[in-house]
Amino acid sequence: MIETGTSLGIKELHTYWARECAPGSAAPLPQDVAKTLLAGLRLNVLETLRYLHHQRPSYAQFEAWVRECHGDELTEAALVRLRRALAGETVGAEVGNLDDVEGLDADELAHWHEHGYVILRDAISVEAAEAAEMAIYDFLGMSRDDPDSWYRQSLGHSIWVPLMRHPALVANRRSPRIHKAHAQLWGREDLWVTIDQGGFNPPERADWPFPGPHLHWDATLAEPHCLDLQGIVYLADVAEDQGAFSCVPGFHRKLKQWLKSVPEGANVHSHAGRTLTMKPIAARRGDMIIWHHLLPHGSSPNRAQRPRVVQYMSLRPTRFAYTEEWKS
Ligand SMILES: O=C(O)CCC(=O)C(=O)O
């Protein structure tokens, strides 16, 4: 447990604060370092920026807010690991030694290389998945077995659920199997898990049409095309027609050629939405889909009987290639 009243001792956090609250007073942190910093402090990016921009806190207030956000989740050991990693030292996996943890097998790795996505079976246990599923229903004030409750105001017209720190969701971020699979894909263990939200995609109704996200990228399409991973954990079984995560398999290998085929003057993103077809990916409770960020992807309309309930998370190394430019 960190001591209250003492500084967190992370100079990059001061730089991050100065950049957002006193523009011009500090050079920006490289984007990959900023991502590591926030993930290492168990902070969500949007939540942090919203706090800084709305509250304009002093640095001491900001540090106090960081402590409040995560209760006792941020231990001294976690802070030491973050300080060492930011200083350029090699650190191991957050969840301990991964040598004996079962990760992706050879077939799954081959699938990953060919298709740019992989289903990590039993990424978390069915009990852990169900606990997180129920936490999302509770947070939204809904009942799993009462369809009318699925369209409460609390959801709004969106599939995102801003629940991030429920113990069930926190526990899932520490799944050794998830850390192992990502270590295999990144080829390293110094990974930082993002503090992302949950998701709830109920069956479509006349007064609740599917709101998206439709086909998109969360990445720049500018070269060089680098590796980054995104992920979604299914907290209950998801059939293909049940609002499944969808993507264009194999596109990470075709992007470069495809960009050359986009008609001159056309908006790349609109062109992609008009011409590419996504495949919905069914999987079971507790499975995680990990995808290459260069795959166009989105969610899909739920035409089944039950909601799709998920938790989002990504794992990235301390430093990695990151291109700021956005090509559209
Ligand atoms: O919820 C989904 O199925 C898609 C998620 C998505 O589009 C994203 O995380 O960028």
Side-chain angles (χ1 to χ4, degrees), residues 24-311:
S25 68
L29 290 174
Q31 280 290 337
D32 56 342
V33 173
K35 282 175 188 276
T36 297
L37 173 72
L38 296 191
L41 290 171
R42 314 286 199 263
L43 298 173
N44 171 272
V45 179
L46 280 181
E47 175 192 44
T48 306
L49 289 175
R50 206 172 288 140
Y51 168 75
L52 289 173
H53 295 165
H54 288 172
Q55 304 297 327
R56 300 268 154 201
S58 67
Y59 185 62
Q61 287 169 329
F62 182 40
E63 282 203 327
W65 178 82
V66 171
R67 284 199 183 91
E68 271 164 31
C69 274
H70 48 66
D72 58 3
E73 201 208 329
L74 191 62
T75 58
E76 182 56 29
L79 278 174
V80 168
R81 180 173 179 266
L82 178 60
R83 282 188 210 114
R84 290 183 49 218
L86 290 172
E89 288 179 45
T90 306
V91 297
E94 180 192 342
V95 293
N97 191 308
L98 297 176
D99 289 353
D100 295 330
V101 178
E102 208 180 318
L104 296 163
D105 66 22
D107 288 345
E108 289 164 337
L109 287 169
H111 185 284
W112 161 263
H113 288 297
E114 182 170 355
H115 300 292
Y117 79 92
V118 66
I119 301 176
L120 178 66
R121 299 285 176 197
D122 305 317
I124 56 173
S125 68
V126 291
E127 293 80 15
E130 193 168 13
E133 179 198 17
M134 295 319 290
I136 288 177
Y137 277 104
D138 286 351
F139 176 78
L140 291 170
M142 298 175 182
S143 160
R144 190 163 63 173
D145 298 314
D146 174 9
D148 280 337
S149 74
W150 301 340
Y151 304 90
R152 292 229 159 101
Q153 289 287 330
S154 52
L155 179 61
H157 193 214
S158 151
I159 68 166
W160 313 114
V161 178
L163 177 66
M164 288 178 283
R165 295 199 175 80
H166 187 282
L169 277 76
V170 170
N172 291 344
R173 297 188 188 112
R174 295 187 56 81
S175 154
R177 189 157 155 72
I178 290 180
H179 285 256
K180 174 72 174 221
H182 283 81
Q184 289 174 288
L185 298 177
W186 279 108
R188 48 199 287 186
E189 294 188 357
D190 63 325
L191 302 177
W192 306 87
V193 57
T194 53
I195 307 305
D196 278 334
Q197 53 193 344
F200 187 83
N201 185 4
E204 278 196 305
R205 273 197 340 192
D207 60 348
W208 207 92
F210 172 61
H214 301 280
L215 183 147
H216 68 284
W217 286 270
D218 299 292
T220 174
L221 301 183
E223 293 188 40
H225 293 150
C226 305
L227 175 66
D228 197 358
L229 308 179
Q230 294 178 259
I232 187 168
V233 182
Y234 284 174
L235 302 178
D237 294 352
V238 178
E240 274 188 9
D241 65 348
Q242 200 186 341
F245 166 79
S246 305
C247 62
V248 183
F251 204 79
H252 62 311
R253 295 185 290 106
K254 301 182 191 145
L255 175 62
K256 204 172 164 140
Q257 274 307 111
W258 179 84
L259 282 171
K260 289 186 192 146
S261 75
V262 176
E264 195 151 341
N267 177 291
V268 173
H269 298 278
S270 323
H271 182 69
R274 278 195 307 272
T275 57
L276 301 176
T277 306
M278 297 196 291
K279 172 184 157 77
I281 314 294
R284 295 186 303 254
R285 188 195 290 280
D287 293 345
M288 177 175 198
I289 302 165
I290 306 169
W291 72 95
H292 193 301
H293 72 151
L294 294 180
L295 295 193
H297 65 273
S299 191
S300 56
N302 187 343
R303 308 244 154 87
Q305 303 303 311
R306 301 197 68 82
R308 184 202 73 164
V309 189
V310 302
Q311 177 175 358

